[in-house]
Amino acid sequence: MKKSLGAKTLLYPTPVCVVGTYDREGLPNVMTAAWAGICCSSPPCIAVSLRKATYTYGNIMERKAFSISLPSEDYIKQADYFGMASGRDEDKLSRAKLTAVKGDLVDAPFVKEFPLALECRLLHTIEIGLHTEFIGEILDVKADEGCLGPDGLPDIEKIRPIMFSPEGRKYHGVGRLLGNAFSVGREV
Amino acid sequence: MKKSLGAKTLLYPTPVCVVGTYDREGLPNVMTAAWAGICCSSPPCIAVSLRKATYTYGNIMERKAFSISLPSEDYIKQADYFGMASGRDEDKLSRAKLTAVKGDLVDAPFVKEFPLALECRLLHTIEIGLHTEFIGEILDVKADEGCLGPDGLPDIEKIRPIMFSPEGRKYHGVGRLLGNAFSVGREV
């Protein structure tokens, strides 16, 4: 039997994305967002939703650019911290002893120590409610060479991304390989 | 060292979401989408992106409603099949021997056998490129009672959702608990 839980933001899994921006003074800032997802294949785009109150919101509005860095499991503490503190109050990267690298193609920094980074230019801004959705065109993806598989693509088991459970507020890692997409369904 | 991979839709993890709709004749249809994510906390909203060519696209435009059902690992074959076949050509739920249940609050069906279902009414339609993003307000979440934890919320380890790796096209399960959000970061 199914139980009705009401109107809640429940989805499993959600990614743990660290949004990188520059502020007015040109200082790099990062914040962790769980409300993100790919939203178009061509042009390749990612959507990330932020509250107006965040420091990152103003930075994106001003610079029209952001990055998404994906922390590996090794950086779970730093990623969690990036979601709790504000760049208005402290230099989060310095405190976490992590390094900002300026994007090649956009006016935004990514986190050097994290295995994957997306450079995005702002395409659309959609006011929804408490959150504003920023749709960014992915101009380039950068991955640690050690995280690539034999096909030259990132291997999720080497990236070891973190997933977030909304409401329950827990982080989990990636589990076992279940099968190949566009393949296992042929048996139905 | 990081290697540049070009403009690609890479994000880890992405959820495996099954979108439920009714067509003009009132027949239930389901399709699997990987481009989805929560996009607002208040009102609670989810964004799912679909190509215009899909049968589901027309159904949502007409009915202004959809559901998101999350398959557990047990239904990986059915979920993969739902992403390969079209409701224009076949009755996917019948072939997969799964059951459509009419939503309580919206004009869309969800999949009875899947552990979690979100009932959504269409709020916004955003044309991006190849994909159109549908933003739906989550009016209710329904979860199998056996998947709830002691706090009354779904437990990701009981839901056992599937995650999809874009480009590499692999499915993985949920791994081990890494820590509590808004907590482990205090150590930084």
Side-chain angles (χ1 to χ4, degrees):
Chain A
M1 263 302 283
K2 279 197 168 50
K3 187 176 174 182
S4 173
L5 304 178
K8 286 191 160 57
T9 51
L10 292 175
L11 182 71
Y12 306 92
T14 72
V16 170
C17 293
V18 170
V19 187
T21 53
Y22 287 117
D23 72 7
R24 285 192 177 187
E25 280 70 47
L27 288 176
N29 183 53
V30 286
M31 77 162 280
T32 301
W35 297 168
I38 299 290
C39 61
C40 188
S41 295
S42 177
C45 290
I46 188 166
V48 58
S49 291
L50 304 175
R51 287 174 298 113
K52 279 200 176 71
T54 62
Y55 197 49
T56 299
Y57 178 97
N59 293 350
I60 296 178
M61 291 301 261
E62 195 133 321
R63 303 264 179 158
K64 312 291 184 199
F66 61 91
S67 72
I68 299 286
S69 298
L70 282 194
S72 70
E73 290 184 11
D74 298 334
Y75 295 100
I76 185 169
K77 289 178 187 174
Q78 290 86 344
D80 193 48
Y81 160 67
F82 291 162
M84 292 193 291
S86 172
R88 259 189 214 92
D89 310 318
E90 49 192 303
D91 179 342
K92 293 195 258 186
L93 281 163
S94 294
R95 179 157 165 189
K97 299 185 177 60
L98 294 177
T99 318
V101 177
K102 190 179 179 322
D104 288 328
L105 302 177
V106 302
D107 189 18
F110 60 87
V111 182
K112 184 183 175 185
E113 290 82 357
F114 292 180
L116 198 83
L118 282 60
E119 295 189 33
C120 309
R121 76 178 175 99
L122 184 62
L123 271 193
H124 300 287
T125 303
I126 296 120
E127 301 293 342
I128 305 177
L130 180 61
H131 285 77
T132 300
E133 185 188 58
F134 293 108
I135 294 178
E137 181 180 352
I138 303 166
L139 298 183
D140 192 27
V141 178
K142 288 175 168 65
D144 283 352
E145 292 190 13
C147 291
L148 301 177
D151 57 0
L153 291 166
D155 178 342
I156 193 171
E157 295 182 22
K158 293 177 177 174
I159 298 271
R160 296 189 303 137
I162 305 166
M163 65 202 68
F164 171 67
S165 294
E167 300 280 352
R169 296 182 160 202
K170 289 192 186 329
Y171 293 124
H172 281 77
V174 171
R176 67 187 178 95
L177 176 67
L178 301 176
N180 291 311
F182 304 99
S183 172
V184 292
R186 293 201 191 105
E187 292 173 40
V188 173
Chain B
M1 263 301 282
K2 279 198 168 49
K3 188 176 174 183
S4 172
L5 303 178
K8 286 190 159 56
T9 50
L10 292 175
L11 182 72
Y12 305 93
T14 71
V16 170
C17 293
V18 170
V19 187
T21 53
Y22 286 116
D23 72 6
R24 284 193 177 185
E25 280 69 47
L27 288 175
N29 183 52
V30 285
M31 78 163 279
T32 301
W35 296 169
I38 299 290
C39 62
C40 188
S41 294
S42 178
C45 290
I46 187 167
V48 58
S49 292
L50 304 174
R51 287 174 297 114
K52 280 201 175 69
T54 61
Y55 197 50
T56 299
Y57 178 97
N59 292 351
I60 295 178
M61 290 301 261
E62 196 133 321
R63 301 265 179 157
K64 311 293 184 200
F66 61 91
S67 71
I68 299 286
S69 299
L70 282 195
S72 71
E73 290 185 11
D74 298 333
Y75 295 100
I76 186 171
K77 289 179 187 174
Q78 290 87 344
D80 192 49
Y81 159 68
F82 291 162
M84 292 194 291
S86 171
R88 262 189 211 94
D89 310 317
E90 49 193 302
D91 179 342
K92 294 195 259 187
L93 281 162
S94 293
R95 180 158 164 187
K97 298 185 177 62
L98 294 176
T99 317
V101 177
K102 191 178 180 323
D104 287 329
L105 302 177
V106 301
D107 189 18
F110 60 86
V111 182
K112 183 183 176 185
E113 290 83 359
F114 291 179
L116 198 82
L118 280 61
E119 296 189 33
C120 309
R121 76 177 174 101
L122 184 64
L123 270 193
H124 300 288
T125 303
I126 296 121
E127 300 294 341
I128 305 176
L130 179 63
H131 285 77
T132 300
E133 185 188 57
F134 292 108
I135 295 178
E137 181 181 352
I138 302 166
L139 298 183
D140 192 27
V141 177
K142 289 175 168 65
D144 283 352
E145 291 189 15
C147 291
L148 301 177
D151 57 0
L153 290 167
D155 178 341
I156 192 171
E157 295 182 22
K158 293 178 177 175
I159 298 270
R160 296 190 303 136
I162 304 166
M163 63 202 69
F164 171 68
S165 293
E167 300 280 351
R169 295 181 160 205
K170 289 191 186 328
Y171 294 125
H172 281 78
V174 172
R176 67 188 178 94
L177 176 67
L178 301 175
N180 291 311
F182 305 98
S183 172
V184 292
R186 292 203 191 105
E187 292 173 39
V188 174

